[in-house]
Structures are given as C-alpha cells and as structure tokens.
Amino acid sequence: MKAVFFKTHGDLSVLQYGDLPLPEPAPGWVRLRVRACGLNYLDIFSRRGMPGIKIELPGITGGDCAGVIDKLGDGVEGWTIGERVLPVSHHVDWTTGHFEMLGETRNGAMAEYCTIRASQLMRIPDNVSDEAAAALPCAYGTAHRMLHARGQIKAGETVLVLGASGGVGTACVLLAKLAGCKVIAAAGSDEKCARLLDLGADEAVNYSTVKIDKHVRETTGSLLRGGGVDVVVNFTAGDTWAPSMRCVKRFGRLLCCGGTGGYAAVTDIPYLFMSEMSIIGSTGWAREDQEVCLDLVAQGRLDPPIDRVCALADGIAAVRAIEERAVVGKVIVKP
C-alpha cells in the first residue's frame, strides 16, 4: 500500500512517500480503507519524537481517520465490510495503564489502509462527509472535553482563544460560540483574524502586532477593577503563557491541552494569587466528546472549517503547511 512514513525521527526531510506492507487485522480488530485522514500538530510531534513515547518504525502518523471497513479480524461481531466508520483514535486500559494512540504509538492513517480495534469504531451518519468526520476526533474531541468537561464554560462568559486559527483553535471558537459564549480569537496575521471573524468570533486580535494582555487590559480594565476574561484557552505555552495569565479575570480559568509553542513557560506568580484563577489541564478526549461533535455535524449545527484537501501523494506538503502555521482550520489528506 502507499503511505507517508518515516524510518527515523527528525525534521520534515525524513518523511517519505512510498510503499509499505498491507496491514492485517488482529483478532477483534478491523482493517479500514482510509477515505480521509485529518492532520494535527500531533503528526509533527510524533515524527520529531517525544520523550518517553516509543513509536513503531517505520512510522505512519495520522490519528484521525474516516474510512470504510475492508476486512474483519477473527471474532469481530456487529460490524460489516463496507460500513463507513470513524475510530476513536486512542485506547486506554486504565487497569494496566497501557495507552495506545493511532498515528503515534502505532501506525496511523496517512496511508491507504490502517487497522484499529472494532471497539474503537463509531458509525458515520450518511449526511456527514468523510472530510468533516476526519476533522473531528483530535481537534474537536480535545476542544469539547477541555471547554466542557474540564473548563465548565457557561453561556454569557467571555472566552479568549490563543492560537485560534489551527485545528484545536477553530474548534474552540466554534464550540464556545455554540455554548453561548462571547469569543475573542487571537491569531498571528490580519488574514487569519478576518477568517476567524467570518467563522463567528466576536472579536479577533492579531498578536503579532498587538500584545494580547495589553489589549485585554485596555478593553476590559485592570484585574482589580473587574478586568480580564472568564476563560483563556492556551495550548501554545512557551512565551504566550505569562501574557495569557494576565488576561484572566478574578476567579477565572486558564485552560491548557498542549504546548505547541514550547513546554517551558514562565508563570506570573503575582497574577496567579491575586486573581485566584484556576489553571486547568486537559488531556485528549472521551468517546462521548467525539460522539457529541459528530452529532452536531449531522444536525447541521457544526461545520468544521477545512483549509485544504490534499492527495496522499502530496501528504508531505500537507504536513509542511501545518508546521509552518499556514492554515486556518483542518488539513485533510485523501488516499
């Protein structure tokens, strides 16, 4: 089968497009013919290599996969060949602590075929496209869990989203709006800000020309005079961490589900205790988060923005676009 893969960890130059053996489903598993693969920053982290995480080599990234069941492993019941499905990308055995992630710890969907446990599958409604389904798991599942299960956002609150133009960022903008929140979207260019306003953000701030903490203080007031926002979403960390803390109002929340801008960050200790803010971490998503998002698309209430759809043969260029932060929304690869 054709695939985009790497034989060693490294920069973009280690990616190859070529032939790899067709995978066979183990008992209890199925093989999928990939119809659409949604890319995430996780694809970049996996290729570069992450401390403490062992990745199967040659490695195939791609954790988000809309596909058609092509072959059933022994013992699989309740599923038939030809069904359109969307896997939950991860599998956790909480009794042993064993964690598995499609496209990370095991080969993923940047290929013509991949294998997955039958227990991880959910059916794709007929009125949901392969591209829209493949956009959901990692970005929208993560955003939904972070905003709702962990962040407990409420209608009427103001939510500031840093890095709002990417997959998780646009998901946060759309899901917060659906929840009845006012959304301030921060992105790195005027073009991205304009696109985010088109998607429904109430306000957009170009953080390459405006300091986000200064903007929030000037438009809402200082901390001790009621200024700031209820919720700040920051999954970039790095240099954005301390400024984002200074945007949180008293008793507000700072939500974090990643560190695409760097894992090391400076904490503004005075703002931490003076605001009495809550800093809340969120990891991944649960099956029910993915089901909610898929149902929202089927109802016509959620329309994931897709920046581009690429052929598998152009998969390396698709990864480059994400790495260079040249997209608004999701990038989809179709074998």
Side-chain angles (χ1 to χ4, degrees):
M1 68 171 182
K2 296 295 185 183
V4 174
F5 61 93
F6 55 94
K7 293 183 178 180
T8 184
H9 293 293
D11 61 19
L12 197 67
S13 66
V14 303
L15 280 183
Q16 303 178 46
Y17 172 72
D19 293 299
L20 287 178
L22 185 68
E24 291 294 329
W29 292 51
V30 303
R31 185 172 66 200
L32 302 182
R33 177 166 57 84
V34 178
R35 297 264 297 255
C37 173
L39 300 186
N40 300 283
Y41 219 84
L42 179 61
D43 294 79
I44 295 166
F45 286 145
S46 296
R47 185 202 72 228
R48 291 175 179 171
M50 295 177 284
I53 298 179
K54 185 177 181 180
I55 293 177
E56 177 184 353
L57 294 176
I60 304 174
T61 66
D64 294 346
C65 168
V68 173
I69 296 177
D70 171 74
K71 187 175 182 179
L72 303 176
D74 291 342
V76 173
E77 298 179 351
W79 298 96
T80 59
I81 292 174
E83 285 191 276
R84 296 174 64 231
V85 293
L86 178 69
V88 178
S89 311
H90 57 273
H91 177 268
V92 184
D93 184 338
W94 292 107
T95 61
T96 64
H98 178 72
F99 171 81
E100 224 175 62
M101 182 76 177
L102 186 68
E104 182 187 279
T105 62
R106 56 177 305 272
N107 280 342
M110 275 278 274
E112 292 179 308
Y113 295 88
C114 69
T115 57
I116 195 80
R117 286 177 178 81
S119 60
Q120 293 174 249
L121 300 177
M122 59 181 65
R123 291 176 173 86
I124 300 175
D126 290 340
N127 65 335
V128 176
S129 69
D130 296 322
E131 294 85 351
L136 295 177
C138 185
Y140 285 79
T142 295
H144 190 273
R145 173 174 165 77
M146 177 171 55
L147 293 175
H148 290 282
R150 300 292 293 146
Q152 299 289 308
I153 61 171
K154 305 176 187 67
E157 290 188 316
T158 298
V159 177
L160 167 63
V161 182
L162 278 79
S165 61
V168 176
T170 51
C172 287
V173 169
L174 294 176
L175 292 174
K177 286 300 295 180
L178 280 175
C181 297
K182 175 184 176 181
V183 176
I184 304 171
S189 72
D190 290 339
E191 181 182 3
K192 289 180 178 179
C193 286
R195 180 75 175 109
L196 289 163
L197 290 172
D198 289 341
L199 290 176
D202 298 283
E203 186 180 344
V205 181
N206 182 348
Y207 57 69
S208 68
T209 59
V210 177
K211 291 184 177 180
I212 190 65
D213 52 338
K214 181 180 179 181
H215 172 82
V216 170
R217 185 172 61 253
E218 289 178 346
T219 55
T220 68
S222 64
L223 174 67
L224 298 182
R225 294 182 178 179
V229 301
D230 300 286
V231 178
V232 175
V233 174
N234 183 317
F235 46 81
T236 56
D239 293 339
T240 69
W241 188 252
S244 69
M245 293 183 70
R246 295 192 285 270
C247 295
V248 182
K249 71 189 306 182
R250 289 201 74 205
F251 314 117
R253 288 96 78 202
L254 174 58
L255 309 182
C256 179
C257 67
T260 58
Y263 295 142
V266 174
T267 295
D268 192 322
I269 296 297
Y271 254 82
L272 176 62
F273 64 75
M274 289 298 293
S275 67
E276 298 188 75
M277 73 174 70
S278 297
I279 298 178
I280 302 172
S282 185
T283 296
W285 68 102
R287 184 184 183 94
E288 51 264 34
D289 295 301
Q290 186 168 316
E291 289 173 338
V292 168
C293 293
L294 187 59
D295 191 47
L296 287 171
V297 177
Q299 293 174 26
R301 299 178 60 202
L302 178 64
D303 184 15
I306 295 173
D307 186 273
R308 66 193 72 184
V309 177
C310 303
L312 181 61
D314 298 321
I316 297 174
V319 176
R320 179 183 292 110
I322 294 178
E323 197 156 357
E324 294 176 350
R325 304 183 188 277
V327 302
V328 175
K330 297 293 295 181
V331 174
I332 304 296
V333 173
K334 290 176 68 71

